[in-house]
Amino acid sequence: MAPSGFRRTGLEWFSSLPACLLLLAVVLFSTSSDIHNQMLRGGEQLWSGYYKLRMDPAKPECDANRDIEAAVAEEMAREAPADDPMASLLGTVEKDPADVRLAIERSVADCRSAHASYESLQGQLTAGVKAYRAVELFVADLIAFGLSAQRYILVILVMLCAVTATLTRHHIAMRAMETRLDYTVSLTLQTIANAMLLGSSLIFRQSTLASSTAVSGEELLLHNFWIIGFGCLTLASLYRLFRVPDGLSAGGSLGQAFLSVPLYTVMCLISGTYFAMIGHSSGIGIYLGKMMELADMFLNVGLYVWVGMMLKQTRLATLVFNVFRPWRMPPELLAVVAVLVAAVPTAYTGASGIFVIAAGAVIYSELRAAGARRHLALAATAMSGSLGVVLRPCLLVVVIAYLNREVTTDELFGWGIWVFVLTATMFSLVAVTVNRQSQFNLAPVTDAMPASVLALRPLVPYVLVIIAVVLFYRLALDVKMDEFSAPRLLPVIMLAILVYEHFSRKRRQDDTAGDTDYQGLETSIRGATNDTTAEIGALLLLLGLSVSIGGVIERSHIMEAFPQAFDSAWSAMLLMVVILVILGMIMDAFGAVILVTATVATIAYSSGIHPVHFWMVTLVAFELGYLSPPVALNHLLTRQVVGEAEVLAAQQEGGTFYQRHERIIMPLIAMGISLVLVAFVPLLFYAN
């Protein structure tokens, strides 16, 4: 991991600009379906029967002026003579002329009706209809292209961003590369892992071509994209291996050097070695290919990261914290407020890790500016995304409902509110009791309230911008803000906020006490995309290899060593909690959900655990896993966004054992107690 210095290099236009265009394409393609639906409705309102005008009508080939008498005579002439012995033998019955006439008359009437409809449609095909139809059909083609292009966009985005993360040393690892030994070990293993990914993709392609099943051109193109991408990734790590940066110290220990190896590399080496040992060298390629089945989900992850990075470019977080500053809250209480407020945007970013990447730096800097000690600020930052994953419209919950027919989003979000109340209460109690190191001397209400109300005024334009975008989608496109529309609405909302800030801050910049540090709209979007590119590469590659680790667990049949059903729901729940926390320690949320759906969930259901209860436990257990050593993914992401220097400075601070490890222990106490309550208290009401 390296601090965010990528934007100062000359590579930004080779990665951030294409990444920005790809992300905008995803928003455009997903929005085009809403536009098309409204265009169809509008066309029907403007021209009744518009659906018939979408294509040029075909002229009927029948004769509307057919002579009925001649047709009847011709039909009757085809009849065999009544005294024909062969007709009698075959049982042929002479047709009734009246029936023949009636059938022909109906045929002629239908033909005339078809001609009349054709003439009517031809008359309705005005220049306006043709122009409208051309635009509507173009949008329809754009939707079809967007749906088919999703997989290719995802592959290109993952590979482009992964190469960027490699070149900028931005992958997620247990510790940063500080010495030359760290650098050599890390980049050597990265190169081996990337070559392993390349080899697995090549073998997967060859085995697909050698199979008896026909391979489509699109599937072959997808294979080629993976191969080209991993080839570039291998070359990037090889280039970095021999291009040692300045500033690395000499020496170092081998044990610490291995901790500098990115997590995706470790997962790749483990899964690649396992698949090679069982004679299934294409295994990694196959499981990475499974990402394509949920391409829209992984693209949404990229959009959420982009939204968070655009949030960093705005003054929104600072203005929100300004509302609470007049109360002069002690750091512990302010940390509680920050985590509770962060729950709402977390629900809109899909997973806690995504939110930490997206907004962790903002939360940490604001807490530090408000006087919070480093350990407390780091703990709150790591936990900032842990409470909102159970709230609507969290993408992770939507994926759970999509993969499991036993539950619905309404059920999960309904109970998620109560889980949020519980976890928020536990965190608040831990923060203000166990964690308390300051005096609770709040400002008088008479002083704080007017200042807080005054601090709300700068937030009003932001609220109006958000409402305007949401109303536009609701009224113009008939799209409401929910868990399904959030990925495409949020980028538009953040772009609208950046545009508003551009004009408002530009006006202030012209004043004598203006915003002299503001660089402009293009700089803000470019800076957000620069940060997004490296973060997406680190996160999505980790997520993809997490799916591969899930494949190792699945194929090794580890879960078969456990009973497929327990007589006691209590015993089953105890095992579930242990397994789910361990999975949270070693896997990303989305990959872990896919694995749990295929393995652990069926055991829980068979043991009498209610599906909604099980998935609530799963979400809380995952969050505890992400906060638990030895991996503690959310802490690693926190270090990545706030910088290694801040974490090292916190580790050098003195105090009691708890104070020296507050950033780790505090979240564990809060989420640990919450998990025990969520897991076992409901069993009192329905378990035997």
Side-chain angles (χ1 to χ4, degrees):
M1 292 181 302
S4 180
F6 177 57
R7 92 180 48 168
R8 292 190 296 272
T9 71
L11 296 174
E12 61 179 15
W13 289 113
F14 293 97
S15 60
S16 63
L17 180 60
C20 181
L21 296 177
L22 288 172
L23 293 171
L24 286 174
V26 174
V27 175
L28 175 63
F29 290 146
S30 59
T31 306
S32 60
S33 61
D34 304 318
I35 298 174
H36 185 248
N37 291 335
Q38 291 302 101
M39 292 189 71
L40 290 176
R41 294 178 185 175
E44 190 64 29
Q45 291 175 354
L46 292 172
W47 303 281
S48 180
Y50 171 75
Y51 69 94
K52 295 180 180 179
L53 302 174
R54 297 184 69 236
M55 299 295 175
D56 289 330
K59 185 176 182 178
E61 297 180 357
C62 62
D63 185 5
N65 299 315
R66 185 180 180 187
D67 190 332
I68 296 177
E69 295 299 332
V72 171
E74 181 182 355
E75 185 67 25
M76 295 303 297
R78 291 199 186 105
E79 294 296 317
D83 57 352
D84 189 345
M86 184 61 69
S88 301
L89 180 64
L90 296 175
T92 304
V93 180
E94 185 178 1
K95 293 183 178 179
D96 186 349
D99 293 337
V100 173
R101 175 182 295 276
L102 180 61
I104 292 176
E105 288 176 346
R106 288 176 176 175
S107 175
V108 171
D110 291 341
C111 181
R112 289 172 180 170
S113 176
H115 276 276
S117 176
Y118 171 75
E119 295 296 334
S120 175
L121 292 176
Q122 282 290 95
Q124 294 180 57
L125 281 176
T126 62
V129 172
K130 291 181 179 180
Y132 187 90
R133 183 181 67 178
V135 176
E136 182 262 310
L137 291 176
F138 171 77
V139 175
D141 293 338
L142 185 66
I143 295 171
F145 174 76
L147 291 175
S148 62
Q150 271 190 335
R151 299 184 299 168
Y152 307 110
I153 292 176
L154 177 59
V155 174
I156 295 172
L157 189 65
V158 170
M159 292 295 97
L160 175 68
C161 296
V163 170
T164 303
T166 299
L167 293 175
T168 58
R169 296 185 292 147
H170 213 87
H171 284 296
I172 302 167
M174 299 288 287
R175 61 183 295 272
M177 291 178 276
E178 300 175 358
T179 67
R180 289 182 175 270
L181 180 61
D182 296 343
Y183 187 87
T184 302
V185 170
S186 179
L187 267 298
T188 299
L189 292 180
Q190 282 186 59
T191 304
I192 295 174
N194 295 337
M196 191 177 288
L197 291 170
L198 174 60
S200 180
S201 299
L202 284 169
I203 295 172
F204 183 30
R205 181 182 185 275
Q206 292 304 113
S207 62
T208 302
L209 292 175
S211 64
S212 56
T213 307
V215 182
S216 65
E218 293 183 356
E219 187 177 356
L220 185 61
L221 181 61
L222 199 60
H223 281 294
N224 293 337
F225 275 8
W226 279 116
I227 292 170
I228 294 172
F230 286 131
C232 294
L233 189 60
T234 304
L235 292 176
S237 58
L238 193 63
Y239 166 80
R240 263 303 179 192
L241 176 61
F242 292 101
R243 184 75 178 234
V244 181
D246 299 329
L248 296 175
S249 60
S253 67
L254 196 59
Q256 290 186 332
F258 281 120
L259 294 178
S260 302
V261 178
L263 295 182
Y264 94 88
T265 301
V266 176
M267 292 181 175
C268 179
L269 294 174
I270 293 173
S271 56
T273 302
Y274 172 80
F275 286 129
M277 290 175 61
I278 64 173
H280 189 58
S281 299
S282 60
I284 301 181
I286 292 174
Y287 280 97
L288 284 176
K290 287 188 175 183
M291 290 178 66
M292 302 299 101
E293 299 175 7
L294 297 172
D296 55 341
M297 181 192 77
F298 292 106
L299 288 173
N300 288 343
V301 171
L303 289 175
Y304 283 135
V305 175
W306 194 33
V307 167
M309 295 308 166
M310 284 191 284
L311 175 63
K312 285 174 58 178
Q313 298 293 325
T314 71
R315 301 175 60 244
L316 193 55
T318 300
L319 294 176
V320 171
F321 272 91
N322 287 344
V323 175
F324 301 100
R325 285 196 177 96
W327 295 90
R328 296 199 295 270
M329 295 180 182
E332 294 84 2
L333 187 57
L334 186 61
V336 171
V337 171
V339 172
L340 294 182
V341 171
V344 174
T346 298
Y348 283 93
T349 54
S352 61
I354 299 174
F355 181 78
V356 172
I357 286 179
V362 177
I363 291 176
Y364 180 82
S365 60
E366 292 298 333
L367 285 174
R368 289 288 293 153
R373 53 192 178 276
R374 283 191 175 88
H375 274 287
L376 178 61
L378 289 171
T381 302
M383 201 173 173
S384 59
S386 297
L387 304 189
V389 294
V390 292
L391 299 178
R392 191 183 296 272
C394 181
L395 177 64
L396 188 59
V397 176
V398 176
V399 173
I400 290 173
Y402 175 81
L403 297 175
N404 298 268
R405 296 181 179 179
E406 295 83 359
V407 295
T408 65
T409 53
D410 288 338
E411 290 175 329
L412 293 174
F413 286 131
W415 284 102
I417 295 175
W418 297 105
V419 173
F420 167 73
V421 171
L422 173 64
T423 53
T425 302
M426 289 299 103
F427 178 73
S428 302
L429 291 175
V430 172
V432 300
T433 56
V434 178
N435 213 54
R436 180 175 173 181
Q437 299 182 29
S438 307
Q439 294 295 324
F440 276 50
N441 296 320
L442 296 178
V445 176
T446 53
D447 295 337
M449 183 61 72
S452 288
V453 173
L454 190 64
L456 285 172
R457 291 178 56 186
L459 286 170
V460 173
Y462 291 87
V463 175
L464 294 177
V465 169
I466 295 173
I467 292 176
V469 174
V470 172
L471 285 179
F472 172 79
Y473 271 82
R474 188 71 180 92
L475 300 177
L477 302 178
D478 194 25
V479 175
K480 62 180 181 180
M481 186 70 158
D482 56 21
E483 60 267 31
F484 305 106
S485 63
R488 61 182 183 271
L489 261 71
L490 288 175
V492 179
I493 289 174
M494 292 310 306
L495 288 171
I497 288 176
L498 286 175
V499 171
Y500 159 73
E501 283 203 350
H502 171 69
F503 290 104
S504 63
R505 297 177 73 171
K506 190 174 182 180
R507 285 196 300 269
R508 288 197 302 271
Q509 196 174 28
D510 296 334
D511 299 336
T512 54
D515 229 349
T516 57
D517 61 334
Y518 182 61
Q519 300 297 317
L521 178 62
E522 186 270 344
T523 303
S524 298
I525 296 177
R526 178 157 46 93
T529 310
N530 288 343
D531 294 337
T532 301
T533 306
E535 299 296 354
I536 288 179
L539 187 61
L540 288 186
L541 198 57
L542 177 62
L543 202 157
L545 270 300
S546 179
V547 174
S548 183
I549 285 290
V552 171
I553 296 175
E554 184 180 358
R555 282 184 168 268
S556 62
H557 305 292
I558 294 176
M559 297 309 302
E560 293 183 3
F562 299 96
Q564 297 306 297
F566 287 79
D567 295 332
S568 170
W570 294 85
S571 301
M573 181 58 75
L574 180 60
L575 178 63
M576 296 298 106
V577 166
V578 174
I579 293 175
L580 293 172
V581 172
I582 293 174
L583 288 178
M585 290 181 181
I586 62 176
M587 294 186 68
D588 183 83
F590 295 100
V593 163
I594 296 172
L595 175 62
V596 169
T597 299
T599 55
V600 181
T602 55
I603 300 176
Y605 303 157
S606 302
S607 303
I609 299 175
H610 194 281
V612 175
H613 180 204
F614 169 75
W615 284 109
M616 288 293 103
V617 173
T618 300
L619 291 171
V620 179
F622 281 176
E623 294 308 319
L624 178 59
Y626 303 146
L627 296 165
S628 302
V631 179
L633 182 59
N634 280 10
H635 287 288
L636 295 181
L637 297 176
T638 298
R639 185 177 67 188
Q640 178 148 325
V641 296
V642 306
E644 184 72 20
E646 289 296 314
V647 178
L648 291 176
Q651 292 174 345
Q652 293 172 0
E653 293 178 355
T656 64
F657 177 84
Y658 179 86
Q659 291 171 343
R660 286 183 284 110
H661 301 87
E662 179 183 4
R663 66 187 182 92
I664 301 293
I665 299 176
M666 177 188 175
L668 291 181
I669 295 175
M671 294 306 297
I673 296 174
S674 299
L675 177 59
V676 171
L677 295 176
V678 171
F680 295 104
V681 170
L683 292 178
L684 295 172
F685 297 95
Y686 73 85
N688 295 328

